[in-house]
Each structure stands twice: as structure tokens, then as C-alpha cells.
Amino acid sequence: MKIAGLDIGTTGCKCTVFDERGQYLGRAYRDYPVKRAVGGHEVDASALLEGVFACIREMAQQYEEIGGIGVTSFGEAFVCTDEAGVPLYPVMLYTDPRGAEECRELAEQLGEKKIAGITGLRPHEMYSMPKIMWIKKNCPEIYSATRRIFLMEDFVIWHLTGKAQIDYSLASRTMAFDINRLCWSQEVFAAAGVDSGLMSKPVPTGTAVGTVTDAAAGQTGLGKDTIVVSVGHDQIAAAVGAGAFDSDVAVDGAGTVECLTPIYDRVPDMDVMYEGYFSVVPYVVPGKYVAYAFSYTGGALIQWCVETVGQKAKELAANEGMSVNTYLEQAYRKEHDCMEGEDAAPSGLLVLPHFAGAATPYMDTGSKGAVLGLTTATTPADLYRGCMEGVVYEMYLNFMALQNSGIRFTKLHATGGGAHSAEWMQMKADVLNLPIIALKTVDAGTVGSAMLTGVAIGLFKDLETAASCMVEETATYEPRQHMHEKYMLLYEKYKDVYQAVRGLMP
């Protein structure tokens, strides 16, 4: 028997297959277009579903006997459909500006702190409910024809099984789910003027839905006895895939977006979470919660640096048979005369990584990136190092903002492409003054999805057993006190950069 993890992203989806021992077998990927205009950011739900089914079909053709498939997806975005699940309107992404006015109206009715206390979210137009309100107000014919409102996880599950089921973690991204009672908040729905009966049934993360329909089996190549599992929000799946189940460990998602995910034994201090715009989300372990502290540009900033000033480095790296990232890291050491085994000094640059706006603890989409400290002697390797440092300083800023919320983690598990950079991992350990354990997997979301699926269908006894098979540690980076002190001298300046430059931005 084999298990599969399906991870639905904003621009593409991937399906990864594992054997009964949790060993990786293969992966398929499909993308779908995102339409961005001044008035909105949208995805065609039908194109997304077509890509998902093609992705599953490729894996089903290569690997027979897939006993279960778990579904995880990005959050917030939803689609209005008819009774049969046929989309009536495009999917509005979290970056879509529509819903700002409706969010203000809802906050005025209930109060921002009351909404945060119920939903775990400080009101913001990025979440589903304000955008549903926008559709009701501006497209009344669409809303009146709507019989179901799905987020992407339950949209795909509906088309696989014919059942409307959403897990707690993804439901919480709507700004309409009661994280304390673990049900839809009738108070929020009533204030919004939206029918909660349009939503899917909320269930615990990792709950099996049932088997695929005959129609879905024909479209995907899955067997009719394949069990589908509601896995949840992609950040939750990634935390599971990182083997993080207790509050003594947090997850560093070192991907395109940099995300720090701590685990709490109970609902954290909501005043602290409110001030920092930190989301509070029910976790897979009953009674536990996680929070999301993130920067929109983690690996994305590093990629920008490479593409902008690292073209020559890319050519030289290719000639030497190494990645451009490794080349620039080594170039920095050479340019600063670092002997073998000697620690590289901080760059001295202050890079504000708000190249796609500011996420937590500011949630300021109008903020822009900034690079301070440039001279005529600054090299591409210096700027590359400065960008790495900027991402880590922003991570530390969030870490400090969470200090009074009830966190107690003493180490981090790192996933994503950034976890493969020893230089970056050591830098994070030094700045945060915590050990960081790098994990082998890049696609923690699909691994976590498959782990929860394996447990749901009885392949693994529990998540700890699944983790022992599927979560592989590659290296541990211990913090170095002398380097922490050097970085802190610069961090004391960095933490004031946002306020210093924000008023100068157009």
C-alpha cells in the first residue's frame, strides 16, 4: 500500500507518493495561472481543479495501490459554487485588495478584539469573510445563486468524494471560525450577514472523509477504495512534516516565505497576539495551538538578490559546478579574508526585507524594502549576505514580539530549501541563540500530509511513529555566543529601520 500527500499552492500543486514504510517514491507538479490586476488577484477554480487532477493522475499511473491521499492547501482563498460544486466566481487570493471596507464594517459591529478573541485573528481583509461580504454586496446575483462556499482543501475534497468537509486549521483562516469551541461562529456569520450553512462541516485535522467517487476515480486514476483525508492549512501540514508536536520545538519554514511556527499548550495570550497580528490556529494535537510569525520574503528575497546582482556569479558558479548560493557564500568569506574554520563577520548592511510588504508584526502592505550601508566597495556577495541577515533579523524581531505570549520552545526544526544552506542555518542559530535542526525534506507540506494520511488509514500507529519513518534530520547548528553578541549590535539598529524609513516611502 502507498500513501500520497497533495499540497495545493497559489500558483501550482504537487502530489508526492510514499511507500508503506514512509519512503519517498516520486512527485508530480502542475501549475495554473494567477490573474493579477489593479482591482483583484484571482485564480480560476476550474483550472486549479484540472491541475490537481492531472497531478494526481500522473502519480496514480506510476504507482498503483495508493491507499490514501491527504489534501492540504493555502489558506483564505475561497470559491462560491452551485449545488454540484461548479464555480460561479473566480477565487480571490489573500493578496486581493477587495474586502477592506467590509472588514472595517464587521470590526465596527463586533469590535476588533472581540473578533480576535473568537477567531484567533486580528481583522484583516486578507481573510475569507470580508471578501464573502464583498461578493454579497457587489455581486448579489452570484451570492444568491451560491449553494456552497469552499476553501481550496474542501473544494478539491468535494470533487474527490462528494462530501463537504473542512478541517479546523483551514476553517480558522476564514475569520469566522471559533477556535475555542471549534465550530463556525454564528455571531460572526450573523454580523456579516452570511449564511453559515453554505460552509463545509468542520472536523479535526487529519480526519478521513471517505473514498473517492466513481467519477473522481475515472478522472484521477485512483482506486475506488482510496481514502481521502482532510489535512488542512499548508502551514499546519508543514509543521507536522517537520515532526513538531510539542511546545518545546518551533518550526522554521525556510521557503519562499519565511515562517516561524511555535506550538502552544493552550490558547496563548491574545493581547500579545493581537498587537503583533499573529494568527492563533488549532493544531493537530488536541488542545494545542500554533501561531504564524512570518515575512513575505524569505527565500524570495535571496532569489531577488541573485537575479538582480548575481548574474555573473551564476555563470562562475556553473563553471565550477556549484550552486550560485554556495558560490556567493564562499565569495563573501574570500573577500573578507576568512581563514578555514574562521567565523565570517556580519556584513554591516541593514536590509529591510519588506520587498513584498511587511507581514507580522506590522501587517503593512505599503511598506517597501530598504538597503542601508552601501558603499562603492559593496560587492554582490556582501549584498547577498546582507539579504540573508535581513531575513533573520526580521525573524528575530518576530521572536521577540512573541516573548510574552507563552512560547517556551528551546529549539527549531528547519524545513524548506533554505534548510540546505549551512551558512544561513548557522546564522539563524546565532541570531536567535537557539539550536536549529535542519531536516532533509524540502516539501514538508506533502510529507506532513502523507503522515496524517498514514495515521488516518492505519498505516502508522500515531504521528510520532510516522515521524520516525518520514522525518530525517541532517544537521544540528548550535548557537555561538560570540557571534550572537556581534549580530545583536546590528540588530539594535535594525529594529528601528522600519519606523525610520516608513515615512519616506511613497
Side-chain angles (χ1 to χ4, degrees), residues 380-463:
D382 290 329
L383 185 57
Y384 182 85
R385 175 84 179 196
C387 286
M388 292 172 69
E389 291 169 353
V391 172
V392 180
Y393 290 146
E394 189 80 349
M395 186 180 178
Y396 189 69
L397 184 82
N398 277 280
F399 175 58
M400 295 307 294
L402 286 166
Q403 285 303 300
N404 294 324
S405 68
I407 56 170
R408 64 178 191 87
F409 61 88
T410 57
K411 59 183 177 181
L412 292 112
H413 286 185
T415 68
H420 294 169
S421 169
E423 196 79 20
W424 209 8
M425 289 298 101
Q426 186 61 62
M427 185 188 297
K428 289 179 179 181
D430 292 338
V431 172
L432 271 71
N433 210 22
L434 290 170
I436 297 184
I437 301 167
L439 305 179
K440 183 178 181 179
T441 180
V442 172
D443 296 330
T446 55
V447 171
S449 184
M451 287 168 60
L452 283 160
T453 300
V455 173
I457 69 173
L459 198 59
F460 301 120
K461 177 185 175 183
D462 49 33
L463 284 174

Side-chain angles (χ1 to χ4, degrees), residues 109-424:
Q109 271 193 273
L110 294 178
E112 283 203 353
K113 287 206 169 183
K114 183 172 185 178
I115 292 173
I118 294 171
T119 68
L121 308 173
R122 183 167 176 172
H124 195 278
E125 60 267 24
M126 71 181 285
Y127 302 117
S128 315
M129 183 52 79
K131 289 177 167 52
I132 296 172
M133 293 168 65
W134 184 93
I135 287 181
K136 184 179 180 183
K137 180 190 295 184
N138 294 278
C139 306
E141 72 287 354
I142 296 296
Y143 183 81
S144 63
T146 297
R147 295 295 175 267
R148 300 183 185 278
I149 296 177
F150 295 111
L151 274 70
M152 295 305 99
E153 172 203 44
D154 48 321
F155 175 64
V156 169
I157 284 173
W158 166 264
H159 284 280
L160 285 173
T161 68
K163 297 178 181 177
Q165 177 173 298
I166 186 171
D167 92 295
Y168 295 159
S169 69
L170 194 63
S172 74
R173 304 306 292 169
T174 61
M175 206 177 87
F177 184 76
D178 189 325
I179 64 167
N180 302 287
R181 298 179 179 177
L182 302 177
C183 61
W184 294 118
S185 171
Q186 296 307 316
E187 190 170 7
V188 172
F189 274 95
V194 174
D195 180 7
S196 64
L198 298 171
M199 311 302 290
S200 298
K201 176 186 176 183
V203 297
T205 299
T207 299
V209 187
T211 55
V212 297
T213 63
D214 290 348
Q219 291 174 289
T220 62
L222 293 171
K224 295 178 183 178
D225 57 349
T226 301
I227 296 172
V228 179
V229 179
S230 296
V231 168
H233 190 218
D234 51 12
Q235 293 295 345
I236 292 292
V240 172
F245 309 121
D246 204 352
S247 54
D248 65 347
V249 60
V251 179
D252 168 32
T256 302
V257 170
E258 180 76 24
C259 186
L260 176 66
T261 307
I263 301 171
Y264 296 84
D265 293 323
R266 61 188 64 84
V267 175
D269 187 308
M270 288 307 300
D271 287 336
V272 174
M273 309 311 277
Y274 176 87
E275 290 301 321
Y277 287 92
F278 299 116
S279 304
V280 180
V281 183
Y283 195 38
V284 62
V285 182
K288 293 186 185 294
Y289 292 80
V290 300
Y292 301 147
F294 63 102
S295 172
Y296 291 128
T297 48
L301 179 60
I302 307 306
Q303 187 64 27
W304 169 85
C305 183
V306 168
E307 296 300 329
T308 304
V309 301
Q311 290 300 317
K312 184 63 176 179
K314 287 177 74 173
E315 296 175 15
L316 295 172
N319 291 337
E320 296 191 26
M322 67 174 68
S323 73
V324 64
N325 307 80
T326 300
Y327 181 89
L328 286 167
E329 289 170 5
Q330 292 183 0
Y332 181 85
R333 296 182 63 84
K334 290 177 183 177
E335 291 168 6
H336 291 265
D337 299 320
C338 293
M339 303 295 290
E340 186 173 349
E342 184 181 359
D343 300 326
S347 70
L349 298 176
L350 295 176
V351 179
L352 187 68
H354 297 175
F355 284 51
T360 57
Y362 306 115
M363 291 307 291
D364 179 2
T365 55
S367 184
K368 302 291 193 299
V371 183
L372 306 182
L374 293 171
T375 71
T376 54
T378 302
T379 68
D382 290 329
L383 185 57
Y384 182 85
R385 175 84 179 196
C387 286
M388 292 172 69
E389 291 169 353
V391 172
V392 180
Y393 290 146
E394 189 80 349
M395 186 180 178
Y396 189 69
L397 184 82
N398 277 280
F399 175 58
M400 295 307 294
L402 286 166
Q403 285 303 300
N404 294 324
S405 68
I407 56 170
R408 64 178 191 87
F409 61 88
T410 57
K411 59 183 177 181
L412 292 112
H413 286 185
T415 68
H420 294 169
S421 169
E423 196 79 20
W424 209 8

Side-chain angles (χ1 to χ4, degrees), residues 75-91:
E76 301 88 40
F78 66 93
V79 60
C80 295
T81 79
D82 63 14
E83 184 64 39
V86 176
L88 301 175
Y89 197 81
V91 176

